[in-house]
Every structure is written in structure tokens, then in C-alpha cells.
Amino acid sequence: MSAINNNCEYISKKQIKITFDGKTYQAYEGDTIASALLRNNIRLVGRSFKYHRPRGIYTCGIEEPNALVQIISEHNEPNTRATIKRVYDGMEITSQNRWPSLRYDFGAINNILSPIFSAGFYYKTFMGPKGFWKNIYEPLIRRSAGLGKPPKNFRSKSTHQYHNTDVVIIGGGLSGLVAAKKFINTKYKVLLIEQDSYLGGILKNSNKVKTINGLIPQEWISETEEQIFNSKNITILKNTLVTTYNFTNHLIALEDKCAGKKIDLNKPELTLHKIRTSNTIIANGHIERFISFRNNDLPGVMLASSFEKYIHRYGVVPEKEPVIFTNNSSSLSLLKTLISLGCKPKAYVDSRKKDNIETEIKKILKEKDILFFSDAEIEGCDGNKKVETITIRQGKTFSKIKSPMLCVSGGYNPDIHLFTQSKGLVKWDKNILSFKPDTPFQKTITLGSTSGNYNFKKLCDEINEKLSILKTKKVLLDINLNVPNKFSIKELWETKKKRISRWSKSFIDLHNDVTTKDLRQAITEGFDRIEHLKRYTTNSMGTDQGKISSINSLAIVSKMLKKEISEVGTTTYRPPYAPLSFAAIAGRSTYEFYDPERKTSIHSWHLKNNAIFEDVGQWKRPWYFKTYENETMHQAVQRESKMLRENAGILDGSTLGKIEIKGRDALEFVNLMYTNAFSKMKPMTSRYAMMLGEDGMIKDDGIICKISDQHFIATTTSSGAPKVLADMEEYLQTEWPHLQVYLNSITEQFSTFNISGPKTREIMMKVFPDIDFSNDAFPFMTFKNFDYKETKIRIMRASFTGELGYEIYITPKFGLDLWEEIFSCGKEFNLIPYGTETMHLLRAEKGYIVIGQETDGTVTPIDLNYNWMIGKNKKDFIGKRSLSRPDTSREDRKQLVGLSPINKKDIIEEGQHIVELNELPKKITNPIKYLGHVSSGYHSPNLNHSIGLAMIRGGKNLLGQKFFVTATGKTKNIPVEIVNPVFIDPENKRLTS
Amino acid sequence: MILIKCPYCGERDQSEFTSGGEAHVVRPKNPDSLSDKDWGEYVFYRNNPKGIFYERWVHSHGCKKWFNAVRNTSTDQILKVYKVNEKRPDFSDFENTLKSPSGEPSVGSGNFAVKK
Ligand SMILES: [Zn+2]
């Protein structure tokens, strides 16, 4: 039975109600889920990961491997550590990984089948047959393994906060507080970070320390905290866990803003602190480790210092008469605590020889008449879903003791996780039998038990000495102890098993259900490198990262390999220290804040006219316009395309990238960046141009407008604009700093409209009655500037549809006015708005390519038959030399062709393969010869059949030949003819009409 | 995330910068005069050492200036930053700097966190 420690000052006496698996329980404000459950005598809290074995509360903190629960009242938050999550009134909790109920779990059959679940089980078992993984294994594993269920309908309000400080102290325990004291009222900006809601660490978790400077620990903590709090240069963060220690002293810490409170939907529940500091002091203490013995996972087995922490920190005595099993001197403090509360351990089992056991321990045990076993160990324990009988081995004799709880201490590990994350080197210490920090890689100082110093009396000297480089004042510390000053320990990692039944297991990793037998098996199979062994057995790969057991596994493995533990080494400690919620990482960058939306000045008009939008980069562009309720995309695009070629259409092209290129050497620069020759080009004319990479492959295209030799405007693809500008900048700064050229992004300075179709000239003449749009006055690929109302406009004769067309540039301020003016003038000519899908269809009919559709980073202008765009007489331009590389000038490269179906009803789909077979074999045994792929496929309303653009090997020489195109879900292929990719107006009569 | 000192703006978070690969790879003056092999090496071949590396960075979310840096690739320490028009610092300036926290071998990876 549990009991209450009324002397506990860290927990309020305010009673609240929580529910666990549907039943209501009483708890105190300040309890964790675990302390509340123990208060109510609940020991079984979950089922294990692989074997579904009953599990209880093993620890009292962040290191917990077992007691993971799901919080129903917090959007189903799964895998919550019951040992750190604080309760509040009305909190709803359920256990995890059990079906149909915690007591009767179906998956426990895995435990009986355990011989097949041994090391490497996943790798070995699920190798075949083909198709089994997807249909059988994966769904099965997903249901029976894994922990908890994902949260539902949760919109996080987490925020990020940034800090720049001089000193960060991680851990507000004894060492952290003494260190912080040294910085009181100094010039240093200090951040003191504590994971718990109280400062004090070991002082409040145990009775190891009797007095400090004459004060009882609680008084000393309060006094010190007040001094630190009043010092303006020090900030204290509580409920905050440092999870990550990066290069250049960059720390990430997670603050729980609603610890012990119900989530307020209007406030951030988590804050992620991103801290840049000059010095880091790690004082986050140590973690107790367990010992492997038979059934060391039964509910009722608990770490000794955790047991003690429940008494001092939460006022719960989990059990009045436990058995204590230890291999070191520190368990004296638990013994004393229990005696002081009038409780009496059933037995005290110490693996050390009697002579090596402290006299004080022996004296108490004798006085209180407690069963004492020295030079002894726990062989194992048994019971139904809880510890009932404990078997003790002393020499050759076995004793059985009935007790529901067993407290285990296998020694302490300095918490080196953050230190190794910072790339510091650790070293094996024979006195404490653990790794401790050795050489720091950054400006990192470790203090107290983190640094392997378990001697309270030496703590003050250590802190004064290590912090002397920061020139702080000396502090004095007079500590009186309840435990021996000198830490003594005997090596013990695993006890000998007496009998072996299938159910009996000796665990090394409770979280992932790895047994010591699995370690042996893995080594026998050749996985003798620690990093391999870890992955093969999944040892210490759970969410607890083996905090209480990883050193044990290294020790056991080193014994099996007959090597020194430092030779075996540790596995890599990687951030985060403890699981970090994705909500905290994302912060406010979710939903509408995830990525900005860019809208053109015409956006409101598009909305009013039922535009369906497409995302192009961050831009919202009309994809097509719906003219009636049930109009499908196909119908709309066919209508828009036909109407444009009959009358006229207008496209909002404002998203097109525009870069202004100015300066003395602008002409030379443009000649170097683009393939075309610009020198002989007349001012106020424009040219379709291509930009290559140095490898000769097409990167971007656009129209270059030449105002003068010192002034150009380049347009780019909508999504390529930032990259093109960055590339131009790079060449200017790094390769040609002697060129006097200035670049400026002017994309957003203009609204751009592309108007085209046979009736365009009439519409333009009506909108701009003063301008002469005749072919002679305004030929194809020229542009002019005009005054228009109170602003200026630029009109260029250009087209991406193959019809007569103009591009109008106007300041966005007047963009919408002009757009509406054009529509009122265009009404009598049946002018329609069209979207990007129609634009793509029309350009495909005309054989114009789209970057990223026909090209994919492996296509040269020659592959597209665009040789005319290459300024062959230019000495140099980016990519020129690569065009004559043997691979780039191969005859059988994939080249652009058009596809026309032989049977006009067949549909050519984008992305399909071009092959020589008219039908695919039922069973494919040999690779089918692949000739190329369909890069664009549309139904052309103007030709009334399907058309395609394709990239085919040696395509230039295949005109007129017949091949086949594969089709979705069919084995019969579509016969097609290779044709000229220009389907409409190959003579460019319409373009220049 | 490391700190990078832009020679124009000062120390900023790495997230403000974009890496530009190996530095001091100069674009040939007369590409046409190069053999296919030499041109191919200019376009496709870059060094990727474990240890001291001369590389380019651009302060892409800042002043947008390109600059050079000397970084120890096994520790991510930036040993020097300098402007594009400044002289390439001598390799010997950095030879005595800590090459890796644990004296790892010059090739390959692995965990060497334990002091022998
Ligand atoms: Zn800068």
C-alpha cells in the first residue's frame, strides 16, 4: 500500500479529479500523472511495445521508459510521460498499446510467441514473399507495435523565442543554483533553465543533504532563488527542457507554458527557445541506471532514487514495505527516508561484500531488524501483472520474499547527453563506473554530478575553480550530509538467472522490449560494432533513448566481446534530448502563415468572375474561369481555347518575373548570360531568349527587351524569377566584377496583360484610339512607351499563343482600371479572360515549350531544334562551351517532336512512354525498349483531336514514322505519328498578321 | 545551426546564408580553347575534403553579397571569412587548428566521442 509523506512542501493540498481509463481518481494540484496514480495504488499503466507485457511506473522523471500515456483532454496527445506531465482538474488520461483493455490485452500473445520476435526480427521475418509487406506485415505491425494514436483536430499555438546571452546554466539543482549565485549582480547576462516547476534538484528529491550553510535545503533553495530572482541580469526559465546543443553554443529549449493547467486555446501551449550564448554551463545532474534480472520489467520494480523522489517531491510513499536492491552506497538515503516515516523495508540486498558496506547502513539494518543480504543479488521476481515474490541469491542459497515493490539502484550515470551533443569527448571513470565529460569542444563547463563529481564536499571547490575563468566571486558552501561522502559502487549489470521459462525475460531496454539475450544473439550473428548492434536490436532507440540502460548495454557487450568499455565506445548521442513536439518546431508557421500568398492587382476581378486558381510558386494565378455552375475544367479550357483563336482572350501575366538590367556594360552582360546575340538588335525591339547553365542545359527562358545598349528588361518564368536574379548577381559579383551593371527586380512594379487573338488589334484600337497599331507602325517583337491617362504604359507586340498579340505593362495602381476598360471595349468582340491551362494548351498547339515541362535540366536548345537562338558568333556565353561536348552534341539525344494520333479519337496522356510495341506483354520479363516520353498532352479544340509534344531519342530524324504511346490502365498502346511540333500556323502568318 | 560572420554585416545565423560550394574555381577566360576534359573538370569536378575547405557563401537573406570562407568540414568551425577580391589565405594559417574534436581519421565517418 502507498502512504503519504505530510512533510512534503512542494505539492499543494488542493484536491482535484482526474480520470484514467474512464475511472475517476483524486489527485493533488502539482502531482504528475505518475504520482497521482501511485497515490491511488495504481501500478499497471501500460503495455510494452513488442511483447505487450504489463508495465508500470519505473522512474520519476524524463528518463521514463514505460509509463507513456495518452491525454484525451489535450487533443489525444500520445506518448506523454506520466512521470513529468502535471495533472489539472478534469484531465482525461488513457493507457496505450492495449486492446481491448489494459488488464486483458490481446497482443500479449506476442510474449508467448517471443522466440520469433528476437533481435533483428523485423529485418529477418519481413523479407518476403513479394507483396506481403504492403498488404499483410505493415498493417499488422502498425496495429500491434507502436505506441499511442495520433492527435486529432489540433491547431497548435506554439511560439518561438530568441535569446542572445553570455551564460546559460542548464539545470537549477544544487550545482546550477550555486553557479547562478556566482553571477548575481555581475555584468553577465544569464539564463538559468530548469526542467521542473521547482528549483532545487536533488535537494528536493532526496534527503541526501541535511543542511546547507546552516539552513535546511528548502529554506536554502527559497533564499537562493530570491537572490537570483532579484538580480536583474539573471532570468529563470522553469518547466523548460534543453533538448539540443548545437555548434557555436546554440541551444534549443522547450518550455511547457501550460504545465499543470488546462490548455488555453487562445495562448501558446509551448514556447521553443532558441538561444545563442557565449558560455554554457551544464549542471543537469545524473540519471540512475537499473540492473537486468529476470522479469525486471514487472510493475512494482522502480529505481531507488525515483522511489525516494516520489516521497520528497510529491509526498507519496509508493509502498511502505519495499525490498531495496543496490550495488552502491547512495541507497542509504532511501533507507533513512523510509525509517524516518515509520516504514520498514522488507529486505535490503546489497551486491557489495559486507566489509565494503558502510557501517551506518549495517547499523540501521541491525537496529531496525531488517533482513539484510550482503554480497547478494536479486535473481528475479514473479507475479501476475505485478511483483509478488522476489528471489534473492546469496552465494548458493536462494531466499524468496513476498513484497509488491522492488527498488533498484545500479549506480548513477552523469547526464552526458548534452555534452556529447556539443561534440565534447567523454571518458570512462572506474570509480563511478560510468562515462563522464572529459574534453569540451565548445565553451562548455560541466558541474557537479554531470561532471562525474559525486562528492558534495568537493562541489564548492569544483564550481569556484571551473568558473574562475569567468572571473566571478568565490562562494562558500557548508554542506551537512545524510549519506556517506565517498561514493562506493560494485560493478553489476546483470544478475544470473536461475531458471528459464518462456515468459521470463531479463530486459536491457524496457521501452523497445530488448532483452540481454537479444544482445548476445546479435553479437553471435556478427553485429559486434556498437552502432550496428544498436540498430539491429533496436536497443536504446526508443523515445527515452535508453537513458536508464544504455551504459548497462555497453558494459554487457564489452564483457561479451572481452574488451574494455572505452574500446567499445558509446553510440552517438543525437538531439533532441527528449522528444520535441512538431507543433513546437513549426511554431506559428502553419496554415495561412506557412507560406505567403502573392496576388496580382487583378485578383479581386478574378474572384468575382469565378476563376479557379493555380499555385505558381507563391503566386495565385487563374487556372481557368467557370462560366456556369457545372462547367468542368476540360469544358472551360476547350471553350477558352476555341474562343481565343476565333476572337480574342486576355491573360493576367503580372506574375511573370521582370528584371531590369542597367549600366555601362549591360549589353555585354546580357550577351554573356543569354544564348542569343543582342549586339545588332535595334533599340525598342525584343527577342525570345534562353539562359543555360554552364553544363549547356536550359535553365530559364523569357523575352529580352532592349531599350538601349545600357538598358534591358528581361522577363523570366513566374517561378524562376528569384533564381534567375540570384544567378545574375552571382556572376556579376564573382566572375565579372569589372562589368558595371545594376540589377533590379521589377516584377511587382508592373501589372502585365497578354491579349491575343485575331480581333486583338480592333480591341486595342478602341482602348487606345491615339496609338497606331498597324503592322508597319508596330511590327512583331517591338515595344513602345505611351502616356495613358495620368500614368505611362508600355506595349509590346508579342505572343505566347501563336495569334496576333500584345503585352501591356502598367503600374499596378491603375492595373484593374485598365483591365476593366479593356473588357468594356472588348465586349463587342467577344473578348474572354483565360487562365494558365488554356495558355498551356494554346502554346502546345503552336509548339512552344514550357520550362520544367519540356525541359527537365537535361535539355539543350539544340535538343529543342532552337539552334536559331544560339549566337554562334559570340565568343562566349554561359553554357556555350558545353554545347560542343561529345555527350551534349550526340545525335541520339532526346529531342523535341510532335505526336499526332493515327486514330483521331485516341487520347495522348502526359508522362506516358513512347515504345515500339503495339501491345504490352501480359507478363513483362525483359525490359521494354523505351524511346522517350510525352512531355505535354492536350485535346486540341482547334484541330479536334489529341496532340502531344514529346522528347524522343534521335527525334529529329524520325519525322513521319509510327510509334506507340502507352496508356493508363491498358496493355494496348496508342499508335501515333511523329510530326512537326508546330500544329497551328507553322508559317507564322497569324503571329505577324 | 552555426554562426557565420558576413564581412559586410557581421555575425548572423546560418539560415540567412546560402552555400555556394568550393571557392577559387575561376571561370576560364577562353572556354573554346579548353579541351573537353579540361572544360568538363571546370563544370563538374569539385573538391570535397574532410578538414580545411575554401568555400563560397552568399548572404542571401541579408546584403546579398558573395564572400569566401575557410571552414573545417569535420567540425563546422569557420576559421576565416574574406571578401571575394581579397587574397586567398594560406593553407598553413590553419594547419595548427583543431581538425576534429576527437582526432578522427582524415577519411570516413563514425563515432569517436570516447577519449582513449
Ligand atoms: Zn551581409
Side-chain angles (χ1 to χ4, degrees):
Chain A
M1 280 300 285
S2 66
I4 288 173
N5 166 23
N6 285 315
N7 298 328
C8 177
E9 310 233 9
Y10 301 99
I11 197 131
S12 87
K13 292 287 172 277
K14 198 183 157 200
Q15 286 215 337
I16 54 170
K17 282 194 172 69
I18 60 164
T19 66
F20 177 66
D21 281 345
K23 273 176 115 180
T24 305
Y25 297 98
Q26 295 277 347
Y28 287 122
E29 214 174 67
D31 261 333
T32 59
I33 295 170
S35 69
L37 293 176
L38 288 169
R39 209 179 275 289
N40 288 282
N41 278 314
I42 295 172
R43 304 230 169 102
L44 172 64
V45 295
R47 290 273 175 173
S48 73
F49 179 70
K50 205 157 75 179
Y51 301 129
H52 287 241
R53 284 167 71 102
R55 292 285 166 82
I57 297 160
Y58 218 89
T59 71
C60 187
I62 193 88
E63 67 271 35
E64 178 62 34
N66 276 347
L68 303 183
V69 293
Q70 189 139 14
I71 316 290
I72 302 300
S73 52
E74 292 182 9
H75 316 275
N76 269 355
E77 184 71 24
N79 300 331
T80 308
R81 281 169 174 69
T83 49
I84 47 172
K85 180 74 183 173
R86 305 210 178 281
V87 295
Y88 49 83
D89 198 39
M91 189 185 218
E92 266 180 84
I93 307 146
T94 59
S95 54
Q96 290 187 160
N97 213 23
R98 83 288 187 266
W99 182 82
S101 79
L102 183 55
R103 294 198 73 78
Y104 304 99
D105 174 55
F106 181 75
I109 193 153
N110 286 357
N111 190 43
I112 295 157
L113 299 174
S114 62
I116 67 160
F117 279 92
S118 65
F121 158 72
Y122 290 99
Y123 301 108
K124 286 177 197 158
T125 314
F126 302 121
M127 290 299 287
K130 209 175 144 200
F132 260 50
W133 173 258
K134 196 163 170 257
N135 300 318
I136 296 177
Y137 296 143
E138 193 184 324
L140 191 77
I141 293 170
R142 280 192 189 278
R143 195 177 316 144
S144 59
L147 297 155
K149 294 182 185 114
K152 274 186 206 159
N153 309 326
F154 178 49
R155 179 157 184 177
S156 162
K157 292 257 179 327
S158 297
T159 52
H160 290 180
Q161 196 176 332
Y162 294 82
H163 305 263
N164 282 290
T165 66
D166 301 315
V167 179
V168 169
I169 302 169
I170 303 168
L174 177 57
S175 310
L177 286 173
V178 175
K181 241 177 124 108
K182 287 172 73 78
F183 291 103
I184 289 173
N185 296 325
T186 58
K187 60 180 168 116
Y188 295 102
K189 199 175 156 195
V190 181
L191 211 52
L192 174 62
I193 304 177
E194 168 56 45
Q195 171 204 329
D196 198 350
S197 52
Y198 281 96
L199 299 176
I202 201 155
L203 300 177
K204 68 180 189 312
N205 297 341
S206 76
N207 76 344
K208 288 189 168 72
V209 175
K210 212 183 266 171
T211 60
I212 308 178
N213 295 348
L215 297 171
I216 62 162
Q218 230 247 302
E219 285 170 1
W220 183 82
I221 297 170
S222 306
E223 186 195 276
T224 310
E225 182 172 356
E226 203 185 319
Q227 289 167 356
I228 296 168
F229 184 80
N230 289 333
S231 173
K232 288 200 172 60
N233 60 324
I234 309 179
T235 310
I236 305 173
L237 286 176
K238 291 182 189 172
N239 297 310
T240 306
L241 177 73
V242 177
T243 63
T244 309
Y245 192 151
N246 293 324
F247 280 123
T248 46
N249 264 327
H250 183 253
L251 304 170
I252 292 173
L254 182 67
E255 182 180 5
D256 187 350
K257 297 289 258 190
C258 57
K261 284 180 286 185
K262 209 177 164 140
I263 288 186
D264 182 340
L265 289 175
N266 299 311
K267 284 183 185 160
E269 69 282 356
L270 298 165
T271 298
L272 195 73
H273 296 274
K274 298 185 171 185
I275 307 157
R276 189 76 74 174
T277 173
S278 304
N279 301 279
T280 307
I281 296 170
I282 306 180
N284 60 344
H286 53 266
I287 287 177
E288 192 166 25
R289 59 192 182 217
F290 72 167
I291 296 170
S292 297
F293 50 81
R294 189 170 55 79
N295 299 335
N296 59 335
D297 65 325
L298 266 185
V301 180
M302 191 186 276
L303 293 182
S305 63
S306 296
F307 190 97
E308 198 188 349
K309 183 172 170 186
Y310 280 111
I311 299 172
H312 295 284
R313 173 70 179 82
Y314 299 103
V316 189
V317 186
E319 170 61 44
K320 282 184 273 186
E321 300 181 325
V323 170
I324 299 172
F325 174 33
T326 185
N327 66 348
N328 63 74
S329 59
S330 75
S331 305
L332 171 60
S333 101
L334 171 60
L335 183 64
K336 277 182 159 178
T337 297
L338 282 169
I339 301 289
S340 72
L341 291 168
C343 305
K344 188 179 152 184
K346 270 269 170 78
Y348 193 90
V349 184
D350 200 324
S351 69
R352 294 177 293 167
K353 287 208 165 63
K354 197 164 187 173
D355 293 347
N356 297 338
I357 297 172
E358 291 71 17
T359 358
E360 198 182 356
I361 295 179
K362 288 184 276 199
K363 202 177 130 211
I364 295 174
L365 294 171
K366 196 171 181 189
E367 264 171 27
K368 298 290 169 187
D369 193 24
I370 295 165
L371 267 175
F372 174 39
F373 300 87
S374 61
D375 203 4
E377 60 187 32
I378 301 292
E379 181 275 326
C381 51
D382 299 276
N384 181 17
K385 299 190 189 75
K386 57 180 189 286
V387 174
E388 287 168 6
T389 319
I390 296 161
T391 309
I392 299 160
R393 175 212 304 275
Q394 194 176 33
K396 281 182 180 158
T397 57
F398 291 91
S399 321
K400 277 187 198 282
I401 290 178
K402 285 207 178 302
S403 173
M405 278 201 92
L406 173 57
C407 305
V408 183
S409 176
Y412 295 105
N413 297 324
D415 199 347
I416 56 170
H417 207 301
L418 291 172
F419 180 77
T420 46
Q421 276 186 33
S422 80
K423 295 279 174 256
L425 290 185
V426 298
K427 197 176 185 178
W428 183 253
D429 183 332
K430 282 194 179 109
N431 297 316
I432 58 170
L433 294 178
S434 192
F435 284 106
K436 69 175 188 187
D438 189 81
T439 318
F441 178 59
Q442 306 188 32
K443 280 189 179 171
T444 313
I445 297 166
T446 54
L447 297 179
S449 54
T450 315
S451 70
N453 176 13
Y454 294 172
N455 189 334
F456 287 98
K457 298 272 182 197
K458 284 189 184 158
L459 185 68
C460 193
D461 287 345
E462 184 202 353
I463 296 174
N464 281 328
E465 193 199 309
K466 285 186 178 170
L467 295 188
S468 64
I469 51 159
L470 293 169
K471 303 205 166 46
T472 49
K473 276 179 291 185
K474 268 201 165 161
V475 291
L476 286 175
L477 213 56
D478 179 25
I479 298 186
N480 254 313
L481 293 174
N482 265 326
V483 285
N485 203 13
K486 198 173 168 292
F487 180 73
S488 129
I489 183 167
K490 184 190 170 188
E491 191 168 359
L492 179 64
W493 311 103
E494 184 187 11
T495 70
K496 260 184 266 165
K497 267 189 284 190
K498 189 168 67 169
R499 64 195 154 99
I500 298 163
S501 82
R502 279 208 173 157
W503 200 83
S504 287
K505 289 185 197 314
S506 168
F507 284 94
I508 187 67
D509 184 325
L510 295 165
H511 187 291
N512 272 356
D513 269 358
V514 183
T515 63
T516 51
K517 194 178 150 202
D518 290 332
L519 296 185
R520 280 194 190 88
Q521 187 194 327
I523 288 174
T524 318
E525 291 180 20
F527 293 88
D528 55 358
R529 296 292 286 272
I530 196 70
E531 296 277 7
H532 292 157
L533 187 102
K534 166 181 164 179
R535 280 151 188 88
Y536 191 58
T537 59
T538 71
N539 177 44
S540 75
M541 280 172 72
T543 58
D544 67 328
Q545 300 193 25
K547 285 193 172 59
I548 64 167
S549 61
S550 68
I551 302 291
N552 301 46
S553 60
L554 299 179
I556 291 173
V557 168
S558 72
K559 291 226 167 343
M560 289 179 208
L561 295 173
K562 297 187 175 66
K563 279 184 181 172
E564 289 291 313
I565 194 162
S566 53
E567 258 180 283
V568 171
T570 67
T571 52
T572 313
Y573 291 81
R574 290 192 180 84
Y577 174 76
L580 200 55
S581 157
F582 277 114
I585 297 169
R588 300 312 311 272
S589 306
T590 56
Y591 298 89
E592 65 267 34
F593 302 118
Y594 178 67
D595 203 19
E597 278 180 7
R598 297 170 83 185
K599 293 167 186 164
T600 72
S601 61
I602 320 299
H603 195 77
S604 60
W605 191 95
H606 297 325
L607 283 175
K608 252 186 276 169
N609 288 273
N610 303 318
I612 306 298
F613 290 93
E614 177 189 27
D615 290 339
V616 179
Q618 292 168 332
W619 287 105
K620 293 277 169 204
R621 295 197 73 179
W623 199 6
Y624 58 95
F625 289 85
K626 254 187 175 184
T627 48
Y628 56 92
E629 181 59 29
N630 293 325
E631 192 176 31
T632 64
M633 175 166 157
H634 179 73
Q635 287 166 336
V637 171
Q638 295 287 310
R639 172 184 54 76
E640 287 174 9
S641 305
K642 210 163 163 48
M643 296 274 283
L644 186 139
R645 291 219 193 275
E646 278 167 14
N647 306 303
I650 184 165
L651 174 90
D652 179 6
S654 305
T655 64
L656 215 66
K658 295 172 272 289
I659 298 167
E660 190 163 42
I661 303 162
K662 258 182 163 174
R664 189 190 70 193
D665 305 311
L667 174 65
E668 190 182 346
F669 179 68
V670 176
N671 266 328
L672 281 166
M673 290 306 298
Y674 286 90
T675 57
N676 315 51
F678 298 95
S679 302
K680 287 181 187 157
M681 198 175 154
K682 288 197 191 90
M684 305 307 277
T685 64
S686 47
R687 201 160 273 184
Y688 176 57
M690 248 174 205
M691 184 183 262
L692 309 183
E694 206 65 279
D695 57 359
M697 304 302 157
I698 297 168
K699 275 206 302 206
D700 204 73
D701 65 355
I703 288 179
I704 306 289
C705 305
K706 181 175 181 177
I707 295 162
S708 71
D709 282 352
Q710 282 78 43
H711 192 183
F712 291 80
I713 292 172
T715 68
T716 73
T717 54
S718 294
S719 53
K723 177 83 177 97
V724 171
L725 180 64
D727 285 356
M728 287 181 170
E729 265 295 338
E730 181 185 339
Y731 276 106
L732 268 183
Q733 285 186 36
T734 60
E735 296 294 349
W736 310 311
H738 61 281
L739 294 184
Q740 268 189 29
V741 177
Y742 307 94
L743 304 171
N744 193 13
S745 165
I746 51 167
T747 303
E748 274 139 340
Q749 271 62 38
F750 293 98
S751 288
T752 309
F753 312 142
N754 307 63
I755 176 165
S756 66
K759 303 225 174 113
T760 305
R761 186 172 282 122
E762 287 155 271
I763 297 168
M764 291 295 279
M765 283 161 67
K766 204 173 165 198
V767 182
F768 308 103
D770 300 337
I771 301 175
D772 183 357
F773 287 103
S774 69
N775 237 344
D776 291 340
F778 211 146
F780 184 55
M781 291 311 253
T782 60
F783 63 95
K784 290 176 181 180
N785 297 323
F786 304 99
D787 288 328
Y788 174 73
K789 292 186 178 170
E790 62 245 73
T791 183
K792 282 186 191 316
I793 55 167
R794 178 180 298 137
I795 300 176
M796 175 163 65
R797 180 130 176 233
S799 165
F800 195 41
T801 60
E803 302 292 331
L804 166 70
Y806 298 91
E807 273 184 25
I808 306 164
Y809 294 79
I810 187 167
T811 170
K813 194 175 161 195
F814 300 106
L816 189 54
D817 290 348
L818 177 58
W819 178 270
E820 281 174 339
E821 173 75 14
I822 294 170
F823 266 96
S824 73
C825 294
K827 206 169 175 195
E828 59 176 294
F829 303 101
N830 292 323
L831 174 72
I832 52 136
Y834 69 99
T836 51
E837 191 61 21
T838 295
M839 173 186 88
H840 279 142
L841 189 158
L842 294 172
R843 66 87 201 170
E845 284 183 338
K846 180 69 182 168
Y848 290 157
I849 61 120
V850 163
I851 301 293
Q853 183 122 14
E854 272 65 41
T855 73
D856 57 4
T858 67
V859 177
T860 72
I862 303 162
D863 298 339
L864 299 178
N865 261 327
Y866 283 5
N867 305 44
W868 57 272
M869 296 187 71
I870 300 168
K872 290 198 181 61
N873 297 327
K874 287 204 286 183
K875 184 175 161 247
D876 191 12
F877 60 82
I878 301 297
K880 180 169 189 258
R881 175 64 184 85
S882 285
L883 294 178
S884 58
R885 289 181 61 240
D887 185 64
T888 327
S889 52
R890 258 189 306 123
E891 287 290 308
D892 63 342
R893 287 178 63 83
K894 278 165 110 182
Q895 291 154 347
L896 180 72
V897 295
L899 297 178
S900 183
I902 309 260
N903 174 356
K904 295 298 170 204
K905 289 218 164 62
D906 284 342
I907 296 166
I908 300 173
E909 295 167 273
E910 219 161 272
Q912 292 290 355
H913 295 299
I914 295 148
V915 293
E916 288 170 329
L917 301 171
N918 65 337
E919 197 168 356
L920 296 177
K922 290 249 164 359
K923 198 172 175 192
I924 296 173
T925 43
N926 293 313
I928 291 166
K929 195 175 168 196
Y930 158 85
L931 302 169
H933 69 277
V934 180
S935 56
S936 296
Y938 294 95
H939 180 267
S940 160
N942 301 299
L943 300 170
N944 212 12
H945 65 76
S946 190
I947 57 164
L949 297 181
M951 299 299 294
I952 302 184
R953 276 184 206 160
K956 282 176 199 170
N957 299 320
L958 297 177
L959 272 184
Q961 295 201 33
K962 288 186 179 57
F963 291 104
F964 296 89
V965 169
T966 55
T968 309
K970 289 174 190 155
T971 51
K972 194 125 181 75
N973 297 329
I974 298 166
V976 292
E977 189 188 340
I978 307 282
V979 296
N980 181 347
V982 186
F983 294 91
I984 292 237
D985 188 28
E987 305 86 19
N988 287 341
K989 276 186 192 150
R990 298 186 192 191
L991 211 56
T992 53
S993 66
Chain B
M1 192 164 38
I2 59 172
L3 271 182
I4 297 173
K5 192 175 172 188
C6 169
Y8 305 92
C9 309
E11 275 192 338
R12 297 286 191 279
D13 262 356
Q14 182 190 343
S15 55
E16 291 186 15
F17 298 86
T18 308
S19 168
E22 191 178 0
H24 305 294
V25 180
V26 182
R27 190 171 187 272
K29 281 267 179 307
N30 296 301
D32 279 341
S33 66
L34 263 64
S35 68
D36 283 332
K37 185 171 175 289
D38 289 346
W39 175 255
E41 274 182 12
Y42 161 68
V43 177
F44 300 110
Y45 285 64
R46 293 294 182 272
N47 286 317
N48 184 22
K50 185 174 183 177
I52 310 291
F53 187 48
Y54 293 72
E55 63 185 3
R56 309 186 309 153
W57 287 87
V58 57
H59 196 183
S60 42
H61 297 275
C63 64
K64 296 204 194 294
K65 287 272 196 194
W66 283 86
F67 59 91
N68 292 329
V70 182
R71 180 171 61 102
N72 183 338
T73 56
S74 60
T75 61
D76 264 357
Q77 273 178 312
I78 294 198
L79 305 165
K80 194 179 175 76
V81 290
Y82 53 104
K83 295 177 183 173
V84 257
N85 55 3
E86 282 175 325
K87 203 176 153 271
R88 172 195 170 112
D90 223 41
F91 191 88
S92 59
D93 294 356
F94 312 106
E95 266 183 329
N96 294 327
T97 57
L98 186 63
K99 288 206 179 58
S100 75
S102 45
E104 298 167 24
S106 57
V107 179
S109 63
N111 179 25
F112 301 90
V114 178
K115 190 160 181 173
K116 301 279 148 57

